[in-house]
């Protein structure tokens, strides 16, 4: 019966049994990873380089793109390396690092999405006060609060999870180190402390979700009262991408963490993990840029000028 002091590495879930399938998974994950890097990299570059996008909404979008880059970079590179080199191992320190950064980036993204709903609420319901309520200092303070709360949340969960004695081996039933899967390895009488911490985190997440719902109830009421169709269309076009991103994030994360044990299986756990770790970082840039003329124009200007300078 191994304990945490005797474990030097964990074994992650193998994505495939045969060498050919492992290589296929490597190339598939590499394609997904490069797509996420490209999409979020383009949005970050457009917002950072175009002064017309130096507004609160795009400042928060830049933060979201950076968080998405961090999230997918925490999980996929190790999974790709393991598939390529035909191994399942991750060191104890590597696993703890992965848990820390994923918890930090994932929770920070949720807090940031909550702040972005406040941005849309002020922009549509209190437009005359937008410059006052969301000045540059206020935006920086809110973003720093989201990042800081994410760090605190992650430190607590990571320290608590890796302080638990492990009684059930070192095989993690997931393609990355995930807190629920590591808790399954712990001695049952010791993980109640982490459960109480998870209850606190879920309560905080529920509060954020309630705030998002509250914001959008007021936003939709304000939009429906607008006299012109053009005004309503413009207001909806700025809100719907954020609403789509929130829905994708919350639905996948909620199902991953609150699905009944009777539905739990290694395959379903893997599919759900891919949904909430891989899909949002890939889809968020597409959702935000699909009907956003300002980002498209910024990219055309940026890369058009670059191409012109090279001719």
């Amino acid at each position: 019966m191994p304990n945490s002091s005797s474990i030097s590495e964990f074994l992650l879930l193998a994505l495939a049994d045969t060498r050919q399938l492992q290589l296929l998974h490597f190339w598939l994950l590499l394609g997904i990873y490069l797509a996420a890097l490209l999409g979020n990299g383009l949005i970050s570059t457009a917002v950072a380089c175009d002064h017309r996008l130096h507004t609160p909404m795009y400042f928060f979008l830049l933060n979201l793109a950076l968080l998405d880059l961090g999230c997918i970079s925490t999980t996929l590179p190790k999974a790709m390396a393991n598939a390529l080199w035909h191994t399942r191992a991750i060191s104890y320190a590597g696993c703890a690092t992965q848990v820390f950064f994923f918890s930090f980036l994932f929770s920070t993204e949720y807090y940031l999405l909550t702040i972005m709903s406040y941005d849309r609420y002020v922009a549509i319901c209190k437009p005359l006060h937008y410059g006052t309520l969301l000045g540059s200092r206020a935006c920086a303070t809110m973003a720093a609060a989201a990042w800081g709360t994410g760090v605190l949340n992650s430190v607590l969960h990571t320290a608590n999870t890796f302080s638990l004695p492990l009684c059930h081996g070192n095989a993690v039933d997931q393609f990355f180190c995930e807190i629920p899967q590591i808790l399954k390895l712990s001695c049952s009488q010791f993980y109640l402390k982490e459960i109480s911490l998870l209850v606190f985190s879920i309560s905080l997440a529920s509060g954020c979700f309630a705030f998002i719902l509250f914001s959008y109830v007021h936003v939709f009421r304000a939009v429906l009262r607008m006299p012109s169709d053009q005004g309503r269309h413009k207001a909806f076009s700025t809100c719907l991408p954020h609403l789509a991103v929130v829905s994708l994030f919350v639905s996948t994360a909620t199902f991953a963490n609150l699905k009944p044990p009777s539905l739990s299986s290694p395959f379903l756990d893997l599919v759900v993990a891919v949904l909430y770790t891989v899909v949002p970082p890939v889809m968020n840039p597409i959702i935000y840029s699909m009907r956003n003329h300002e980002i498209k124009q910024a990219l055309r200007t940026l890369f058009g000028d670059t191409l012109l300078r090279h001719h």
Side-chain angles (χ1 to χ4, degrees), residues 10 26-27 93 102 106-107 132 136 189 193 210 279 289 301 310:
F10 290 93
F26 167 77
W27 289 110
F102 184 75
F106 193 78
S107 56
T132 307
S136 56
Q189 69 268 30
K193 197 165 57 169
V279 173
S289 60
T301 303
H310 281 82

Side-chain angles (χ1 to χ4, degrees), residues 5-308:
S5 61
S6 66
I7 290 176
S8 61
E9 66 177 19
F10 290 93
L11 299 177
L12 299 176
L13 183 70
L15 293 174
D17 298 325
T18 66
R19 189 72 188 122
Q20 289 82 2
L21 280 176
Q22 283 177 337
L23 291 174
L24 179 63
H25 280 107
F26 167 77
W27 289 110
L28 179 62
L29 292 176
L30 180 63
I32 292 169
Y33 185 55
L34 291 177
L37 290 183
L38 179 64
N40 288 291
L42 285 174
I43 283 186
S44 302
T45 304
V47 174
C49 296
D50 194 315
H51 66 90
R52 292 169 298 181
L53 301 184
H54 292 176
T55 64
M57 184 176 83
Y58 290 109
F59 169 72
F60 294 131
L61 183 57
L62 171 62
N63 278 263
L64 183 69
L66 294 175
L67 288 166
D68 280 334
L69 282 173
C71 263
I72 202 164
S73 296
T74 301
T75 56
L76 281 200
K78 182 58 180 173
M80 288 189 292
N82 281 4
L84 184 62
W85 301 115
H86 190 46
T87 181
R88 294 171 56 197
I90 182 171
S91 69
Y92 189 91
C95 187
T97 302
Q98 202 173 56
V99 165
F100 171 78
F101 278 104
F102 184 75
S103 300
F104 158 48
L105 295 163
F106 193 78
S107 56
T108 302
E109 182 161 337
Y110 187 50
Y111 304 142
L112 186 74
L113 288 171
T114 306
I115 293 169
M116 291 171 80
S117 72
Y118 175 70
D119 168 69
R120 292 299 83 208
Y121 164 75
V122 176
I124 291 168
C125 299
K126 300 180 183 291
L128 297 178
H129 302 285
Y130 189 73
T132 307
L133 294 173
L134 284 154
S136 56
R137 180 174 291 181
C139 290
T141 302
M142 286 189 284
W147 287 78
T149 308
V151 168
L152 179 62
N153 178 71
S154 184
V155 166
L156 291 173
H157 280 292
T158 306
N160 203 39
T161 300
F162 285 91
S163 68
L164 300 173
L166 306 178
C167 301
H168 303 289
N170 66 339
V172 179
D173 287 333
Q174 195 51 272
F175 72 93
F176 67 101
C177 283
E178 185 185 39
I179 288 176
Q181 298 299 334
I182 294 171
L183 287 181
K184 289 181 182 179
L185 305 178
S186 68
C187 310
S188 58
Q189 69 268 30
F190 288 102
Y191 69 71
L192 291 176
K193 197 165 57 169
E194 174 61 20
I195 296 297
S196 62
L197 201 54
L198 283 171
V199 168
F200 171 74
S201 294
I202 290 169
S203 302
L204 184 60
S206 301
C208 290
F209 185 64
F211 184 84
I212 292 170
L213 283 181
F214 171 83
S215 299
Y216 272 102
V217 166
H218 285 274
V219 164
F220 286 130
R221 284 174 61 187
V223 169
L224 293 173
R225 285 200 299 264
M226 289 179 177
S228 70
D229 290 339
Q230 187 178 3
R232 281 197 295 271
H233 176 74
K234 185 177 180 182
F236 273 127
S237 68
T238 63
C239 290
L240 289 179
H242 176 256
L243 204 54
V245 167
V246 169
S247 301
L248 178 66
F249 186 91
V250 171
S251 59
T252 53
T254 301
F255 185 72
N257 292 293
L258 299 180
K259 67 180 185 297
S262 58
L263 287 178
S264 188
S265 70
F267 176 74
L268 184 61
D269 288 346
L270 176 63
V271 170
V272 170
V274 168
L275 281 176
Y276 85 90
T277 61
V278 175
V279 173
V282 174
M283 291 303 299
N284 288 354
I286 296 171
I287 292 169
Y288 265 105
S289 60
M290 195 181 296
R291 298 181 65 184
N292 192 310
H293 299 297
E294 291 171 317
I295 286 183
K296 288 178 181 176
Q297 186 57 45
L299 289 171
R300 284 193 201 101
T301 303
L302 180 66
F303 289 103
D305 290 348
T306 304
L307 289 171
L308 285 171

